Amino acid sequence: MSEPKSADPFDPANLRLPEDFLAGDENKKSKRTKVRRYHNRPRYNCYVFPLTLLDAMIEHRARWTVLAVVVALHELWFTHPNHNNPVHFTTYNLRRFGLSRHQKYRALDFLETIGQVAVERRNGKNPMVTLKWEAVRK
């Protein structure tokens, strides 16, 4: 540390940082920690839904949360290597849409009411959702 330029502790000359500190060390690489975040990007760019599903949603005036749940369900089914149907539907799959578990359950109730999915509810666990517009595979 450099010596103070004057005896006055409030002198602005004493508060300046040394030049070698401001220049930095070119040999020293800054260490950044990586922050893990859930990506808000979709996993693929094209969603293909059957018209019967979309017509039923329009006819029954579905809210945007229902569409978000349908997109998440279809993406979960599509990205699985075996295209398993029913799918294990967690709230984590809805994180990028900003939906809560209560919104998830309301949207699943709506989809079940209009006959587009079958939901197997299990106490204390996430539901198993069968997509009726896709073939059933286990």
Short mmCIF file of all heavy atoms in Angstrom, two decimals, residues 29-64:
data_model
loop_
_atom_site.label_atom_id
_atom_site.label_comp_id
_atom_site.label_asym_id
_atom_site.label_seq_id
_atom_site.Cartn_x
_atom_site.Cartn_y
_atom_site.Cartn_z
N LYS A 29 -6.13 -14.31 -14.87
CA LYS A 29 -7.46 -14.41 -15.47
C LYS A 29 -8.51 -14.28 -14.37
O LYS A 29 -8.34 -14.80 -13.28
CB LYS A 29 -7.63 -15.75 -16.19
CG LYS A 29 -6.77 -15.88 -17.41
CD LYS A 29 -7.05 -17.18 -18.10
CE LYS A 29 -6.18 -17.30 -19.33
NZ LYS A 29 -6.40 -18.55 -20.02
N SER A 30 -9.55 -13.58 -14.69
CA SER A 30 -10.62 -13.44 -13.71
C SER A 30 -11.38 -14.75 -13.59
O SER A 30 -11.67 -15.41 -14.59
CB SER A 30 -11.56 -12.31 -14.10
OG SER A 30 -12.22 -12.63 -15.30
N LYS A 31 -11.66 -15.12 -12.37
CA LYS A 31 -12.39 -16.36 -12.14
C LYS A 31 -13.85 -16.02 -11.95
O LYS A 31 -14.23 -15.35 -10.99
CB LYS A 31 -11.85 -17.07 -10.91
CG LYS A 31 -10.45 -17.59 -11.10
CD LYS A 31 -10.00 -18.34 -9.87
CE LYS A 31 -8.61 -18.87 -10.07
NZ LYS A 31 -8.12 -19.59 -8.90
N ARG A 32 -14.66 -16.47 -12.87
CA ARG A 32 -16.10 -16.26 -12.76
C ARG A 32 -16.76 -17.57 -12.38
O ARG A 32 -16.40 -18.62 -12.90
CB ARG A 32 -16.69 -15.80 -14.08
CG ARG A 32 -16.36 -14.40 -14.43
CD ARG A 32 -17.09 -14.04 -15.68
NE ARG A 32 -16.92 -12.64 -15.99
CZ ARG A 32 -17.39 -12.07 -17.06
NH1 ARG A 32 -18.07 -12.77 -17.94
NH2 ARG A 32 -17.20 -10.80 -17.28
N THR A 33 -17.71 -17.47 -11.53
CA THR A 33 -18.48 -18.66 -11.20
C THR A 33 -19.67 -18.72 -12.14
O THR A 33 -20.30 -17.71 -12.42
CB THR A 33 -18.98 -18.63 -9.75
OG1 THR A 33 -19.77 -17.48 -9.57
CG2 THR A 33 -17.81 -18.62 -8.78
N LYS A 34 -19.94 -19.91 -12.64
CA LYS A 34 -21.09 -20.07 -13.52
C LYS A 34 -22.35 -20.20 -12.68
O LYS A 34 -22.39 -20.93 -11.70
CB LYS A 34 -20.93 -21.32 -14.38
CG LYS A 34 -20.05 -21.11 -15.56
CD LYS A 34 -20.30 -22.20 -16.55
CE LYS A 34 -19.74 -21.76 -17.87
NZ LYS A 34 -20.19 -22.58 -18.95
N VAL A 35 -23.35 -19.49 -13.09
CA VAL A 35 -24.64 -19.56 -12.42
C VAL A 35 -25.52 -20.47 -13.25
O VAL A 35 -25.68 -20.28 -14.45
CB VAL A 35 -25.26 -18.15 -12.30
CG1 VAL A 35 -26.63 -18.24 -11.67
CG2 VAL A 35 -24.36 -17.25 -11.50
N ARG A 36 -26.09 -21.46 -12.62
CA ARG A 36 -26.99 -22.37 -13.33
C ARG A 36 -28.38 -21.78 -13.32
O ARG A 36 -28.91 -21.43 -12.28
CB ARG A 36 -27.02 -23.73 -12.67
CG ARG A 36 -25.76 -24.49 -12.86
CD ARG A 36 -25.92 -25.84 -12.26
NE ARG A 36 -24.91 -26.71 -12.80
CZ ARG A 36 -24.91 -28.02 -12.64
NH1 ARG A 36 -25.87 -28.58 -11.96
NH2 ARG A 36 -23.98 -28.74 -13.17
N ARG A 37 -28.92 -21.67 -14.48
CA ARG A 37 -30.28 -21.14 -14.60
C ARG A 37 -31.07 -22.03 -15.51
O ARG A 37 -30.53 -22.66 -16.41
CB ARG A 37 -30.25 -19.72 -15.17
CG ARG A 37 -29.65 -18.74 -14.22
CD ARG A 37 -30.04 -17.33 -14.59
NE ARG A 37 -29.64 -16.43 -13.55
CZ ARG A 37 -28.65 -15.58 -13.64
NH1 ARG A 37 -27.97 -15.50 -14.75
NH2 ARG A 37 -28.35 -14.80 -12.65
N TYR A 38 -32.36 -22.07 -15.27
CA TYR A 38 -33.25 -22.80 -16.16
C TYR A 38 -33.46 -21.92 -17.38
O TYR A 38 -33.87 -20.77 -17.26
CB TYR A 38 -34.57 -23.09 -15.46
CG TYR A 38 -35.44 -24.02 -16.24
CD1 TYR A 38 -35.22 -25.39 -16.19
CD2 TYR A 38 -36.47 -23.55 -17.02
CE1 TYR A 38 -36.01 -26.24 -16.89
CE2 TYR A 38 -37.26 -24.40 -17.73
CZ TYR A 38 -37.02 -25.75 -17.66
OH TYR A 38 -37.81 -26.61 -18.37
N HIS A 39 -33.18 -22.45 -18.54
CA HIS A 39 -33.28 -21.66 -19.75
C HIS A 39 -34.73 -21.38 -20.12
O HIS A 39 -35.58 -22.25 -20.04
CB HIS A 39 -32.59 -22.37 -20.92
CG HIS A 39 -31.13 -22.55 -20.68
ND1 HIS A 39 -30.24 -21.51 -20.72
CD2 HIS A 39 -30.39 -23.64 -20.37
CE1 HIS A 39 -29.03 -21.95 -20.46
NE2 HIS A 39 -29.10 -23.23 -20.24
N ASN A 40 -35.01 -20.16 -20.53
CA ASN A 40 -36.36 -19.78 -20.91
C ASN A 40 -36.63 -20.04 -22.37
O ASN A 40 -37.69 -19.71 -22.86
CB ASN A 40 -36.59 -18.30 -20.60
CG ASN A 40 -36.67 -18.07 -19.11
OD1 ASN A 40 -37.07 -18.96 -18.39
ND2 ASN A 40 -36.31 -16.90 -18.66
N ARG A 41 -35.68 -20.58 -23.09
CA ARG A 41 -35.88 -20.87 -24.49
C ARG A 41 -36.62 -22.19 -24.65
O ARG A 41 -36.40 -23.12 -23.87
CB ARG A 41 -34.54 -20.99 -25.22
CG ARG A 41 -33.73 -19.75 -25.21
CD ARG A 41 -32.46 -20.03 -25.94
NE ARG A 41 -31.91 -21.27 -25.42
CZ ARG A 41 -30.63 -21.50 -25.24
NH1 ARG A 41 -29.76 -20.62 -25.55
NH2 ARG A 41 -30.20 -22.64 -24.75
N PRO A 42 -37.43 -22.30 -25.67
CA PRO A 42 -38.04 -23.60 -25.94
C PRO A 42 -36.99 -24.58 -26.45
O PRO A 42 -35.97 -24.17 -26.99
CB PRO A 42 -39.09 -23.31 -27.01
CG PRO A 42 -38.67 -22.04 -27.62
CD PRO A 42 -37.91 -21.28 -26.58
N ARG A 43 -37.23 -25.85 -26.28
CA ARG A 43 -36.25 -26.85 -26.70
C ARG A 43 -36.31 -27.09 -28.20
O ARG A 43 -35.36 -27.53 -28.78
CB ARG A 43 -36.50 -28.14 -25.96
CG ARG A 43 -36.23 -27.98 -24.49
CD ARG A 43 -36.33 -29.28 -23.77
NE ARG A 43 -36.18 -29.03 -22.34
CZ ARG A 43 -36.68 -29.80 -21.42
NH1 ARG A 43 -37.33 -30.87 -21.73
NH2 ARG A 43 -36.51 -29.50 -20.17
N TYR A 44 -37.42 -26.80 -28.81
CA TYR A 44 -37.50 -26.88 -30.26
C TYR A 44 -38.43 -25.79 -30.76
O TYR A 44 -39.18 -25.20 -30.01
CB TYR A 44 -37.92 -28.27 -30.74
CG TYR A 44 -39.21 -28.81 -30.18
CD1 TYR A 44 -40.39 -28.75 -30.93
CD2 TYR A 44 -39.28 -29.38 -28.93
CE1 TYR A 44 -41.58 -29.24 -30.43
CE2 TYR A 44 -40.46 -29.87 -28.43
CZ TYR A 44 -41.60 -29.80 -29.18
OH TYR A 44 -42.77 -30.28 -28.68
N ASN A 45 -38.35 -25.49 -32.05
CA ASN A 45 -38.99 -24.29 -32.57
C ASN A 45 -40.39 -24.51 -33.12
O ASN A 45 -41.11 -23.55 -33.31
CB ASN A 45 -38.12 -23.70 -33.68
CG ASN A 45 -36.80 -23.23 -33.15
OD1 ASN A 45 -36.71 -22.80 -32.02
ND2 ASN A 45 -35.76 -23.34 -33.95
N CYS A 46 -40.77 -25.72 -33.43
CA CYS A 46 -42.03 -25.97 -34.11
C CYS A 46 -42.90 -26.90 -33.26
O CYS A 46 -42.48 -27.99 -32.89
CB CYS A 46 -41.76 -26.60 -35.47
SG CYS A 46 -43.24 -26.89 -36.42
N TYR A 47 -44.10 -26.45 -32.97
CA TYR A 47 -45.06 -27.26 -32.23
C TYR A 47 -46.18 -27.65 -33.18
O TYR A 47 -46.77 -26.78 -33.82
CB TYR A 47 -45.65 -26.48 -31.05
CG TYR A 47 -44.65 -26.17 -29.98
CD1 TYR A 47 -43.89 -25.00 -30.02
CD2 TYR A 47 -44.45 -27.04 -28.93
CE1 TYR A 47 -42.96 -24.71 -29.04
CE2 TYR A 47 -43.53 -26.75 -27.94
CZ TYR A 47 -42.79 -25.60 -28.00
OH TYR A 47 -41.88 -25.32 -27.03
N VAL A 48 -46.49 -28.92 -33.26
CA VAL A 48 -47.55 -29.40 -34.14
C VAL A 48 -48.62 -30.06 -33.26
O VAL A 48 -48.36 -31.09 -32.64
CB VAL A 48 -47.01 -30.41 -35.18
CG1 VAL A 48 -48.12 -30.90 -36.06
CG2 VAL A 48 -45.91 -29.77 -36.00
N PHE A 49 -49.78 -29.43 -33.22
CA PHE A 49 -50.90 -29.96 -32.45
C PHE A 49 -52.01 -30.35 -33.40
O PHE A 49 -52.21 -29.71 -34.44
CB PHE A 49 -51.44 -28.91 -31.48
CG PHE A 49 -50.44 -28.43 -30.47
CD1 PHE A 49 -50.04 -27.11 -30.45
CD2 PHE A 49 -49.92 -29.29 -29.53
CE1 PHE A 49 -49.13 -26.66 -29.52
CE2 PHE A 49 -49.00 -28.86 -28.60
CZ PHE A 49 -48.60 -27.54 -28.60
N PRO A 50 -52.79 -31.36 -33.05
CA PRO A 50 -53.93 -31.71 -33.89
C PRO A 50 -55.01 -30.62 -33.81
O PRO A 50 -55.16 -29.95 -32.78
CB PRO A 50 -54.42 -33.03 -33.30
CG PRO A 50 -53.87 -33.08 -31.94
CD PRO A 50 -52.62 -32.27 -31.93
N LEU A 51 -55.75 -30.45 -34.89
CA LEU A 51 -56.79 -29.43 -34.93
C LEU A 51 -57.91 -29.70 -33.94
O LEU A 51 -58.53 -28.77 -33.43
CB LEU A 51 -57.36 -29.32 -36.34
CG LEU A 51 -56.45 -28.61 -37.33
CD1 LEU A 51 -57.06 -28.65 -38.72
CD2 LEU A 51 -56.20 -27.19 -36.91
N THR A 52 -58.16 -30.97 -33.64
CA THR A 52 -59.22 -31.29 -32.68
C THR A 52 -58.90 -30.72 -31.30
O THR A 52 -59.78 -30.22 -30.61
CB THR A 52 -59.43 -32.81 -32.57
OG1 THR A 52 -58.17 -33.42 -32.24
CG2 THR A 52 -59.95 -33.38 -33.87
N LEU A 53 -57.63 -30.77 -30.92
CA LEU A 53 -57.21 -30.22 -29.64
C LEU A 53 -57.38 -28.71 -29.64
O LEU A 53 -57.97 -28.13 -28.71
CB LEU A 53 -55.75 -30.58 -29.34
CG LEU A 53 -55.09 -29.86 -28.17
CD1 LEU A 53 -55.72 -30.26 -26.86
CD2 LEU A 53 -53.60 -30.14 -28.16
N LEU A 54 -56.90 -28.05 -30.67
CA LEU A 54 -56.99 -26.59 -30.74
C LEU A 54 -58.44 -26.12 -30.85
O LEU A 54 -58.83 -25.14 -30.24
CB LEU A 54 -56.17 -26.07 -31.91
CG LEU A 54 -54.66 -26.36 -31.81
CD1 LEU A 54 -53.96 -25.90 -33.06
CD2 LEU A 54 -54.08 -25.71 -30.58
N ASP A 55 -59.25 -26.85 -31.63
CA ASP A 55 -60.67 -26.49 -31.74
C ASP A 55 -61.39 -26.62 -30.40
O ASP A 55 -62.21 -25.78 -30.04
CB ASP A 55 -61.37 -27.37 -32.79
CG ASP A 55 -60.99 -26.99 -34.21
OD1 ASP A 55 -60.49 -25.85 -34.39
OD2 ASP A 55 -61.18 -27.81 -35.11
N ALA A 56 -61.08 -27.69 -29.67
CA ALA A 56 -61.71 -27.89 -28.36
C ALA A 56 -61.29 -26.78 -27.38
O ALA A 56 -62.11 -26.28 -26.60
CB ALA A 56 -61.34 -29.25 -27.78
N MET A 57 -60.04 -26.37 -27.45
CA MET A 57 -59.57 -25.30 -26.57
C MET A 57 -60.24 -23.97 -26.92
O MET A 57 -60.61 -23.20 -26.04
CB MET A 57 -58.06 -25.17 -26.65
CG MET A 57 -57.33 -26.31 -25.97
SD MET A 57 -55.55 -26.29 -26.21
CE MET A 57 -55.11 -24.71 -25.55
N ILE A 58 -60.42 -23.70 -28.21
CA ILE A 58 -61.07 -22.46 -28.64
C ILE A 58 -62.56 -22.49 -28.27
O ILE A 58 -63.11 -21.51 -27.78
CB ILE A 58 -60.88 -22.25 -30.15
CG1 ILE A 58 -59.42 -21.93 -30.44
CG2 ILE A 58 -61.78 -21.14 -30.67
CD1 ILE A 58 -59.06 -21.95 -31.90
N GLU A 59 -63.19 -23.63 -28.51
CA GLU A 59 -64.63 -23.75 -28.24
C GLU A 59 -64.94 -23.55 -26.76
O GLU A 59 -65.94 -22.94 -26.41
CB GLU A 59 -65.11 -25.13 -28.69
CG GLU A 59 -66.58 -25.37 -28.48
CD GLU A 59 -66.98 -26.77 -28.92
OE1 GLU A 59 -66.33 -27.32 -29.82
OE2 GLU A 59 -67.94 -27.30 -28.33
N HIS A 60 -64.08 -24.05 -25.89
CA HIS A 60 -64.31 -23.93 -24.45
C HIS A 60 -63.60 -22.74 -23.83
O HIS A 60 -63.53 -22.63 -22.60
CB HIS A 60 -63.88 -25.22 -23.75
CG HIS A 60 -64.76 -26.37 -24.09
ND1 HIS A 60 -64.51 -27.20 -25.15
CD2 HIS A 60 -65.91 -26.82 -23.52
CE1 HIS A 60 -65.45 -28.12 -25.22
NE2 HIS A 60 -66.31 -27.91 -24.24
N ARG A 61 -63.08 -21.86 -24.67
CA ARG A 61 -62.43 -20.62 -24.24
C ARG A 61 -61.33 -20.86 -23.22
O ARG A 61 -61.37 -20.37 -22.08
CB ARG A 61 -63.45 -19.64 -23.69
CG ARG A 61 -64.44 -19.22 -24.74
CD ARG A 61 -65.45 -18.26 -24.18
NE ARG A 61 -66.39 -17.92 -25.21
CZ ARG A 61 -66.58 -16.69 -25.65
NH1 ARG A 61 -65.90 -15.70 -25.14
NH2 ARG A 61 -67.46 -16.46 -26.59
N ALA A 62 -60.34 -21.60 -23.64
CA ALA A 62 -59.21 -21.91 -22.76
C ALA A 62 -58.37 -20.67 -22.50
O ALA A 62 -58.22 -19.82 -23.36
CB ALA A 62 -58.34 -23.00 -23.38
N ARG A 63 -57.81 -20.59 -21.32
CA ARG A 63 -56.93 -19.48 -20.96
C ARG A 63 -55.51 -19.79 -21.43
O ARG A 63 -55.21 -20.90 -21.85
CB ARG A 63 -56.94 -19.26 -19.46
CG ARG A 63 -58.30 -18.86 -18.97
CD ARG A 63 -58.30 -18.69 -17.49
NE ARG A 63 -59.64 -18.34 -17.07
CZ ARG A 63 -59.90 -17.45 -16.16
NH1 ARG A 63 -58.92 -16.83 -15.54
NH2 ARG A 63 -61.14 -17.19 -15.82
N TRP A 64 -54.64 -18.79 -21.31
CA TRP A 64 -53.26 -18.97 -21.77
C TRP A 64 -52.53 -20.02 -20.94
O TRP A 64 -51.61 -20.67 -21.43
CB TRP A 64 -52.51 -17.64 -21.76
CG TRP A 64 -52.19 -17.14 -20.38
CD1 TRP A 64 -52.95 -16.33 -19.60
CD2 TRP A 64 -51.02 -17.43 -19.62
NE1 TRP A 64 -52.33 -16.10 -18.41
CE2 TRP A 64 -51.13 -16.77 -18.39
CE3 TRP A 64 -49.89 -18.20 -19.86
CZ2 TRP A 64 -50.17 -16.84 -17.41
CZ3 TRP A 64 -48.92 -18.27 -18.87
CH2 TRP A 64 -49.07 -17.59 -17.66
#
